[in-house]
Amino acid sequence: MYRSALSVILLLAAASLHGAPGLPSGFIEQRDVSIPSPGEVLGFEPGARHPRNDEIVRYFETLAAATDRVRIEVTGHSHDGRPLLLAYFGSPERLTQLDDLRAGRRAASRAGEGPPVIWLGYSVHGNEASGASASLVTAWYLAASESVEARAWRDEVLVIMEPVLNPDGLDRFAHWVNMHRGRHPSADPVDREHREAWPNGRTNYYWFDLNRDWLPLVHPESRARIANYHRWRPHVLTDHHEMGHLTSYFFQPGVPERGNPLQPPKNVELTAELAAYHAAALDAAGEPYFTQERFDDYYVGKGSTYPDLTGGVGILFEQGSARGHLMRTPFGLRTFADAVANQVRTSLSTVRGSHALGDDLIAYQAAFFREQQQAARRERNSGWLLGDGGDPGRAQRLLDVLLQHDIQVRPVTETVTIGGRDHAPGSAWALPADQDHYLLLQSMFSEPTELEMDTFYDVSAWPLQRSFGLPLSRVNRLPATAAALTEVPRPTAAELPDQAVAWVIPWNQYGAAPTLAALLDDELRIQAATRPITVTTAAGPRALTRGSLVIHPAIQPLAPAELRQRLQALSAHHGIEVLAATDGLTPAGPDLGSPSLPMLRTPRVAMLTGEGLRPNHAGYIWHWFDTRLEQPLTRIDWWRLANGFEPGRRGALDGLTHLILPDGDYSLLPATLQTQLEAFVRTGGHLIAARGASRFVEGLSLDWSFAGEPPERERAEQRPYGEHEADFARELIGGSALSVVLDASHPLAFGYPDGEIAAFRRGAHRLQATANPYATPGRYAEDPLLAGYLSAENHTRLAGSPALSATRVGPGLVIRMADDYLFRGYWLGTERLFANALFFSSLIGETRLPAND
């Protein structure tokens, strides 16, 4: 029987009065009363409502001002400008030595010197908010407690706390649940308080999952954290989350068979030893919990796995959520204060266990770094050689990621030829195996294709050389190198000559797409080469790929000198090469005024958003437009199209050239909206459908000509009921790198002269094959797997199947993309495919052959 409404109100009031959910008994009487509680500063007790990030910051600022046992630092700001905090807890004597301690941590970690450094991190998912409130309570205890245990902690360990890892998402969630909390809160899971509006507070400003960003470091929150992580090299790091309301509490170890294969055995042992302290704390409180189920420790880009491969011990905590203030669960009514209390308990159990195991943790870390050097020698691996692949922009982005991960990178000073490719000074870098983070390097570049497990909580592979589309070779002997980089080299843009017959921008450059977008904004007349072309320059002939841009000064709205100045500025801003053609006649390929170099149109683009569509995928696209392309993107909630607009107002799709449909469940979209999308295409609009959206557009009435329906599955064999979850995960494709063979002559594949790329594959969907033999510019290779897990059935289904398709429908066009070409903001190797769909889709013509009589 559920508690009565009155008992719930009394329960919430009691939580507020005590103000210390999860803290040891006796703390209220045994504390420094001069150090204020969260309730005294904020005007409400933890668990009574959801604090905003600014309120959390205010409490930590007040705490640091009230006691010399706490020090805080602002390490950066989120996309929306919210401060990112680190708080330090220790004795006054230790905190006065904080800067010296930090400066010596690298040497101390190798030498096995203390003190133990414990990093507590909370709420990387903004709507898993009990962690952020737990940081307030935990901070109060660490600063104010006068218990023998707490004083020993302050004297003998250093606690670093990251109160909110995702302040933008936390504030979205706090606003939602606080404005929907009644005086008599509803515990019904379907109540509006528990059902956030799209895109919800889990993600960051651009709707990315920050707990997948520890590796790619796309976002300022992650970049600020990783810089300080490597300065401190913590022995233990916690990652406090929430899960569904039907569950209790989880802490690691996770599923034993699903750990990262590079995770040291001693790391697993220490995780289990710390687990005993968490169990004792929750047992004492009578709280149920579980371990070794559901959650793995595999993907290095998650907060609880990254430390395992960098010398620390990462611990994942998952609290069954209240998703607001009160939730009905199988374990009874759960208040927000209940969820906060468990996060506090395991925060303190982490400090308690790390203090008790301090010598072991320190010794483990020192042995870890020694083992890195021994492993490289044992495996006879001198390191890796990284080239720029002819695109310095992409190489600079990867170098930046490597340096942030504390990876040693050395420029080569001699030319090395590997596999027929020259790696010359200025365009190649050595990554020595003999360095502290050899294990992390192995993980970054690993391309497994035979894995012992077949179920993954997240992706199964993440090879950075594939995601950036750059050549990488493991070498037995490193070439001669210069000193290790301390920052990414930024080449200065070459000074353009005063005049040119035409300015030419090679399309196979990372910065070419945003440069084109800017020039089209300037209303310049830009041509694109639809055939390979060689241009004459003062330095000699240059062979260029399809898609390369040609700008004739004489036909522009800008004066030639202004045009040159504009191109000079864009070259510097985007790091691109601009060529000055000295002759309109070309040594090879079409001349610069040829019809084979048509004028490009300025795209006017919108994207569907709203309930049912995947916020992550929509966020990848918005982020790419906003931060990479440096262009606005109109985001239209689909229900606005479905419900229509007021009379006299223009339609939402009027004036658009392109409409992007992100991944998601399109079953919610009504028939009226489908009719509008069909009309958009038939009147000349270009529809870009990615991943699951491609299945939706295949159902639109657009006169498709498919080459037969996908084969039906044979009658399934009988399987044990208990194997369903594993079978489902096995066939879903959680995330693998697959080889896609491109038709380099197709406008969607311009800029890829090699004709093959690595795409990131997720999900079980696949494109239907079209009967038009010219409409599929991308197909999966016959042996598609480059890295990760792919079941035998999926291997068979995908081999040779369409990966990218473009179908003309009268004056309109439908582009179907099987994969996510902007995956998590770091799969740079396929970004150009998305850019081509915007800028070159108008170049795709009809490809019907004459009918036979």
Side-chain angles (χ1 to χ4, degrees), residues 605-608 613-614 617-618 621 625 657-664 666 669 677 680-681 685-700 702 704 706 748 761 765-768 775 780 802-807 813-822 833-834 837-838 841:
V605 190
M607 176 177 65
L608 281 193
L613 308 187
R614 281 191 60 234
H617 190 229
I621 298 168
F625 268 86
T657 60
H658 294 72
L659 181 64
I660 301 170
L661 306 186
D663 187 27
Y666 282 78
L669 274 63
L677 296 179
F680 174 74
V681 175
H686 293 190
L687 205 60
I688 301 175
R691 294 192 59 195
S694 61
R695 182 185 299 114
F696 165 70
V697 301
E698 289 169 355
L700 297 179
L702 292 174
W704 293 105
F706 292 125
L748 290 187
R761 173 76 189 188
H765 60 282
R766 58 172 172 158
L767 303 184
Q768 291 197 55
Y780 294 111
L804 178 63
S805 177
T807 303
L813 181 73
V814 179
I815 297 173
R816 294 174 294 142
M817 301 173 172
D819 300 313
D820 184 352
Y821 297 146
L822 307 176
L833 292 175
F834 208 93
L838 295 179
S841 60

Side-chain angles (χ1 to χ4, degrees), residues 15 120 137 556:
L120 306 178
V137 180
Q556 305 303 332

Side-chain angles (χ1 to χ4, degrees), residues 99 124 128 251 394 414 429-430 440 450 536 639 675 778 836 844:
D99 295 336
V124 70
E128 299 175 7
F251 54 86
R394 271 182 292 136
E414 63 175 320
W429 300 267
L440 181 61
E450 296 183 6
T536 302
W639 57 266
T675 301
N836 290 348
I844 302 172

Side-chain angles (χ1 to χ4, degrees), residues 151-388:
R151 288 200 301 270
W153 293 351
R154 289 192 293 265
D155 288 340
E156 298 168 16
V157 303
L158 176 67
V159 176
I160 303 174
M161 182 181 292
E162 195 173 5
V164 184
L165 278 71
N166 178 9
D168 294 347
L170 182 89
D171 276 7
R172 280 206 307 274
F173 180 65
H175 176 71
W176 178 269
V177 294
N178 287 334
M179 77 175 183
H180 289 103
R181 178 192 185 278
R183 296 182 182 180
H184 303 273
S186 172
D188 194 324
V190 301
D191 181 70
R192 184 169 173 80
E193 179 187 355
H194 307 305
R195 298 288 180 174
E196 298 167 78
W198 195 97
N200 75 50
R202 174 184 175 88
T203 52
N204 78 337
Y205 184 85
Y206 285 106
W207 311 337
F208 278 61
D209 186 336
L210 287 179
N211 197 39
R212 307 298 185 267
D213 197 44
W214 282 72
L215 179 65
L217 301 178
V218 170
H219 301 283
E221 300 90 338
S222 306
R223 295 165 77 88
R225 179 184 319 114
I226 214 70
N228 284 282
Y229 174 90
H230 284 293
R231 291 185 188 113
W232 282 108
R233 295 192 171 188
H235 298 90
V236 175
L237 180 143
T238 68
D239 190 18
H240 290 260
H241 290 252
E242 291 182 6
M243 51 187 167
H245 71 281
L246 299 177
T247 49
S248 56
Y249 196 90
F250 168 86
F251 54 86
Q252 286 179 319
V255 179
E257 300 80 18
R258 286 164 48 192
N260 190 293
L262 298 177
Q263 185 179 13
K266 184 62 177 179
N267 180 285
V268 178
E269 294 176 20
L270 288 168
T271 301
E273 291 183 51
L274 287 168
Y277 290 87
H278 313 320
L282 294 173
D283 284 341
E287 291 288 335
Y289 56 84
F290 66 98
T291 65
Q292 302 190 68
E293 293 183 63
R294 295 186 61 171
F295 300 98
D296 64 27
D297 205 11
Y298 181 75
Y299 170 48
V300 73
K302 293 194 302 181
S304 57
T305 306
Y306 186 88
D308 295 341
L309 301 191
T310 53
V313 177
I315 306 292
L316 171 67
F317 296 107
E318 295 273 357
Q319 164 66 48
S321 183
R323 273 299 185 274
H325 294 87
L326 185 68
M327 178 71 79
R328 187 169 64 234
T329 81
F331 302 90
L333 287 178
R334 178 182 294 139
T335 68
F336 182 46
D338 292 335
V340 172
N342 280 341
Q343 303 280 34
V344 172
R345 291 180 182 112
T346 53
S347 297
L348 298 183
S349 67
T350 298
V351 181
R352 183 175 298 115
S354 300
H355 177 250
L357 299 172
D359 290 344
D360 291 342
L361 291 165
I362 291 170
Y364 163 72
Q365 189 174 75
F368 176 92
F369 289 121
R370 285 196 304 273
E371 171 60 22
Q372 302 308 295
Q373 299 172 345
Q374 295 170 3
R377 288 193 290 268
R378 189 167 55 245
E379 296 168 13
R380 297 184 179 180
N381 181 10
S382 293
W384 294 262
L385 195 64
L386 174 69
D388 71 3

Side-chain angles (χ1 to χ4, degrees), residues 93-173:
E93 296 75 21
R94 185 175 301 289
L95 294 188
T96 59
Q97 302 167 353
L98 193 66
D99 295 336
D100 290 339
L101 187 63
R102 175 166 36 204
R105 270 300 299 150
R106 182 186 298 268
S109 67
R110 295 167 175 160
E113 298 173 356
V117 178
I118 307 158
W119 184 301
L120 306 178
Y122 302 94
S123 297
V124 70
H125 296 145
N127 60 3
E128 299 175 7
S130 59
S133 283
S135 75
L136 298 170
V137 180
T138 305
W140 182 32
Y141 181 84
L142 293 174
S145 176
E146 295 292 356
S147 71
V148 173
E149 181 180 55
R151 288 200 301 270
W153 293 351
R154 289 192 293 265
D155 288 340
E156 298 168 16
V157 303
L158 176 67
V159 176
I160 303 174
M161 182 181 292
E162 195 173 5
V164 184
L165 278 71
N166 178 9
D168 294 347
L170 182 89
D171 276 7
R172 280 206 307 274
F173 180 65

Side-chain angles (χ1 to χ4, degrees), residues 763-787:
H765 60 282
R766 58 172 172 158
L767 303 184
Q768 291 197 55
T770 177
N772 184 338
Y774 307 101
T776 308
R779 291 183 177 276
Y780 294 111
E782 290 299 325
D783 186 9
L785 184 61
L786 295 174

